[in-house]
Amino acid sequence: MSPLPARRRAAVIGTGAIVSGSHLAALRAHRDRVELVAAVDVDQGRLDDFRELAGGEVAGFTSVGAMLDAVHPDLVLIGTPPALHREQTVAALKAGAWVLCEKPLCLSLAEYDDIAAAEEASGAYASVVFQHRYGSGAVHARELITSGELGAPRVAHCQTTWHRDAEYYAVPWRGRWASEGGGPTMGHGIHQYDLLLHLLGPWAEVRAMAARLVQDTESEDVSTALVRFENGALATVVNSVLSPDEVSRVRVDCADATVELTHLYGHRNDDWVYTPAPHVAPDRAAAWSTPASDTPSSHAAQLGALLDAYDNGVRPPGSGTDARATLEFAAALYKAAFTGHPVHAGEIGPGDPFYTAMHGEHPDWAPKERA
């Protein structure tokens, strides 16, 4: 029998709510495989509170560089504001650590390609948190769709209709291109349409609209898109922070069945519903039911998949070209919305203004000089 792999040594960068809640819970869920050894935060009081919450011998640092030099972690979990993600991810990669970073991994395709170059140079990998892919219901649905068991995908709908008020946007980095990268297209709906892309595969063309209808922000507070996939399926995508009745929904109509997920911030098996077409035999439809094992979508589920990849020395899911496709979709949605023209997969590259910023320097959307 081969020996069990050693526990991986992990550090967190940022100790706010997402780290002290979701990431710390994920680390505890895998305590037999990973050990939290260090934490970084520029706010000493917040750092001290987190270290007390985490328990054990967690070293504290106010500098990412100092932590990397002193600790040399195997894995770094990043939960800071988006504008810091690229710099911190690259620093961790250069130190030889694998990275699991909150979405968005970075603010542009140009920044993503900087991270890819750091991966290539270091041999380490960076994954973005897209935890909805990893719940057992999502794994099961993807197997059914990609295997052809449900028939050819034809029509899909992806909905993130949430509500955020002015107090939410009073946090200085929110709603600004330079610090958040965009509005609900980047910060809210990205989880749902990442899952849609995960289920349906490569997208081919995007047409879109976006608006500032309520919030006083640089970026949009609502966007909508029409999407054509390489397999021929057509989809709608809605990203909103203006919706009092909050819901997250993905629906895919295939030739033999409709599969629908309805939830808010996370799903379990019972949130997935399969409706067979009239011609489908009952015994065939019965085989589509979700598995008995119910793994909720969560940071813990994704961390487990990353640790599996680490133990096997292979690229983790949610990284590389796979994760880049989701960021490219966001850039394409913005470009299509702001220019009024369809955008095709692969067309945004160096020299395109939407490669370096999601606003694409569009005069109606680019940041204005402040007095």
Side-chain angles (χ1 to χ4, degrees), residues 132-133 135-151 195 199 250-262 267-278 280-293:
H132 292 334
R133 295 182 177 198
S136 51
V139 172
H140 181 66
R142 187 171 189 265
E143 289 174 349
L144 292 176
I145 292 171
T146 58
S147 70
E149 174 58 28
L150 303 184
L195 180 56
L199 295 174
V250 174
R251 169 176 170 148
V252 180
D253 296 322
C254 299
D256 296 339
T258 292
V259 54
E260 186 167 13
L261 166 66
T262 304
H267 59 78
R268 304 187 71 102
N269 285 357
D270 287 347
D271 297 318
W272 294 81
V273 176
Y274 293 84
T275 303
V280 172
D283 58 341
R284 181 184 171 200
W288 300 338
S289 60
T290 52
S293 176

Side-chain angles (χ1 to χ4, degrees), residues 137-262:
V139 172
H140 181 66
R142 187 171 189 265
E143 289 174 349
L144 292 176
I145 292 171
T146 58
S147 70
E149 174 58 28
L150 303 184
R154 291 175 174 169
V155 182
H157 174 69
C158 178
Q159 175 185 351
T160 304
T161 42
W162 294 355
H163 190 269
R164 299 292 184 267
D165 58 16
E167 183 178 355
Y168 174 86
Y169 283 103
V171 175
W173 58 265
R174 289 178 176 153
R176 301 187 186 280
W177 295 109
S179 51
E180 193 171 19
T185 307
M186 279 285 275
H188 304 83
I190 195 169
H191 278 302
Q192 255 59 242
Y193 64 71
D194 173 75
L195 180 56
L196 181 73
L197 300 177
H198 189 57
L199 295 174
L200 291 183
W203 60 274
E205 179 185 351
V206 177
R207 300 168 185 258
M209 291 188 290
R212 301 184 199 94
L213 297 182
V214 174
Q215 299 299 338
D216 182 19
T217 57
E218 290 180 347
S219 53
E220 85 289 358
D221 53 20
V222 61
S223 69
T224 63
L226 301 176
V227 188
R228 187 187 307 277
F229 285 82
E230 284 187 5
N231 60 21
L234 299 180
T236 62
V237 175
V238 178
N239 308 296
S240 167
V241 288
L242 307 178
S243 308
D245 183 11
E246 295 187 299
V247 69
S248 306
R249 181 176 291 121
V250 174
R251 169 176 170 148
V252 180
D253 296 322
C254 299
D256 296 339
T258 292
V259 54
E260 186 167 13
L261 166 66
T262 304

Side-chain angles (χ1 to χ4, degrees), residues 9-340:
R9 301 168 66 256
V12 297
I13 300 177
T15 61
I18 193 65
V19 171
S20 62
S22 298
H23 285 283
L24 185 56
L27 289 164
R28 286 171 170 166
H30 296 284
R31 59 171 58 90
D32 59 327
R33 306 179 67 187
V34 63
E35 174 188 11
L36 179 61
V37 297
V40 181
D41 203 300
V42 295
D43 185 314
Q44 186 67 54
R46 189 167 57 208
L47 176 61
D48 292 342
D49 290 344
F50 175 81
R51 293 174 68 198
E52 182 177 355
L53 176 67
E57 298 297 324
V58 179
F61 298 86
T62 55
S63 161
V64 172
M67 183 275 292
L68 294 171
D69 289 341
V71 176
H72 304 288
D74 302 308
L75 172 65
V76 172
L77 311 179
I78 298 177
T80 51
L84 301 174
H85 289 178
R86 181 196 63 81
E87 178 183 356
Q88 293 171 345
T89 296
V90 169
L93 290 169
K94 286 182 176 179
W98 286 31
V99 175
L100 179 60
C101 180
E102 279 299 319
K103 54 75 187 168
L105 179 58
C106 53
L107 303 187
S108 69
L109 289 170
E111 287 194 355
Y112 197 99
D113 291 344
D114 287 344
I115 292 171
E119 281 189 329
E120 181 70 22
S122 69
Y125 298 111
S127 294
V128 59
V129 174
F130 284 138
Q131 71 270 23
H132 292 334
R133 295 182 177 198
Y134 300 90
S136 51
V139 172
H140 181 66
R142 187 171 189 265
E143 289 174 349
L144 292 176
I145 292 171
T146 58
S147 70
E149 174 58 28
L150 303 184
R154 291 175 174 169
V155 182
H157 174 69
C158 178
Q159 175 185 351
T160 304
T161 42
W162 294 355
H163 190 269
R164 299 292 184 267
D165 58 16
E167 183 178 355
Y168 174 86
Y169 283 103
V171 175
W173 58 265
R174 289 178 176 153
R176 301 187 186 280
W177 295 109
S179 51
E180 193 171 19
T185 307
M186 279 285 275
H188 304 83
I190 195 169
H191 278 302
Q192 255 59 242
Y193 64 71
D194 173 75
L195 180 56
L196 181 73
L197 300 177
H198 189 57
L199 295 174
L200 291 183
W203 60 274
E205 179 185 351
V206 177
R207 300 168 185 258
M209 291 188 290
R212 301 184 199 94
L213 297 182
V214 174
Q215 299 299 338
D216 182 19
T217 57
E218 290 180 347
S219 53
E220 85 289 358
D221 53 20
V222 61
S223 69
T224 63
L226 301 176
V227 188
R228 187 187 307 277
F229 285 82
E230 284 187 5
N231 60 21
L234 299 180
T236 62
V237 175
V238 178
N239 308 296
S240 167
V241 288
L242 307 178
S243 308
D245 183 11
E246 295 187 299
V247 69
S248 306
R249 181 176 291 121
V250 174
R251 169 176 170 148
V252 180
D253 296 322
C254 299
D256 296 339
T258 292
V259 54
E260 186 167 13
L261 166 66
T262 304
H263 67 119
L264 187 55
Y265 299 135
H267 59 78
R268 304 187 71 102
N269 285 357
D270 287 347
D271 297 318
W272 294 81
V273 176
Y274 293 84
T275 303
H279 64 267
V280 172
D283 58 341
R284 181 184 171 200
W288 300 338
S289 60
T290 52
S293 176
D294 189 356
T295 301
S297 64
S298 65
H299 287 65
Q302 181 165 359
L303 179 59
L306 186 148
L307 291 170
D308 289 343
Y310 197 116
D311 291 346
N312 290 300
V314 298
R315 174 177 284 282
S319 68
T321 56
D322 180 31
R324 191 184 190 279
T326 301
L327 192 67
E328 184 189 5
F329 180 86
L333 193 157
Y334 280 122
K335 181 177 181 178
F338 297 168
T339 66

